[in-house]
Amino acid sequence: QVQLVESGGGLGQTGGSLRLSCTASGRIHSILDMGWYRQAPGQQRELVATMDDRGVAEYADSVKGRFTISRDNSKNTMALQMNNLRAEDTGVYYCKASRATFFSGDQMLSSILPFWGQGTQVTVST
């Protein structure tokens, strides 16, 4: 199994910055894809940014040029630098790990379903 823990959420101001972090733990061999998703009140969860293990990133149009995703594969960590915050960035931000390979006992297993963190609240005030 893979456990994901987010940190760094909180209250930000319009035009300000926040940095989120995600740490994956467990007997991890590799994680191909990691990403950030967010869910605003009354809305569906949506993709914010993803990065594969080669460092190729994709962003939602709404955050391009403002947010930057990064990963440290050797530490199984991921970060999201959020600049020029807007009120519409408010929501719960979730870390997701997909196509993970991990050890269970003496077996190496590949996950079919993604792993999710518990989420961290980001609130942007005007």
Side-chain angles (χ1 to χ4, degrees):
Q1 295 294 316
V2 175
Q3 294 81 40
L4 301 172
V5 177
E6 304 97 337
S7 61
L11 181 64
Q13 293 186 333
T14 300
S17 298
L18 285 174
R19 183 176 178 87
L20 305 182
S21 297
C22 174
T23 300
S25 62
R27 298 177 63 199
I28 299 168
H29 174 266
S30 63
I31 301 174
L32 293 185
D33 299 310
M34 295 188 76
W36 291 97
Y37 290 71
R38 68 186 180 192
Q39 188 166 17
Q43 302 295 318
Q44 290 188 334
R45 193 173 298 186
E46 63 176 4
L47 180 148
V48 176
T50 63
M51 179 173 277
D52 67 15
D53 62 336
R54 298 169 298 166
V56 177
E58 294 185 1
Y59 296 90
D61 288 342
S62 60
V63 307
K64 283 180 181 177
R66 300 188 299 122
F67 291 9
T68 302
I69 188 172
S70 60
R71 283 180 65 171
D72 186 333
N73 294 333
S74 66
K75 298 180 180 178
N76 291 317
T77 58
M78 177 178 64
L80 185 69
Q81 178 66 41
M82 305 186 294
N83 298 328
N84 193 16
L85 289 167
R86 303 171 180 170
E88 53 264 38
D89 295 323
T90 294
V92 179
Y93 283 69
Y94 297 91
C95 172
K96 177 184 178 182
S98 303
R99 299 193 291 168
T101 303
F102 55 94
F103 295 96
S104 179
D106 59 357
Q107 289 185 308
M108 189 164 71
L109 304 175
S110 295
S111 64
I112 297 175
L113 298 176
F115 296 97
W116 290 92
Q118 292 298 307
T120 184
Q121 176 70 45
V122 171
T123 303
V124 181
S125 63
T126 57

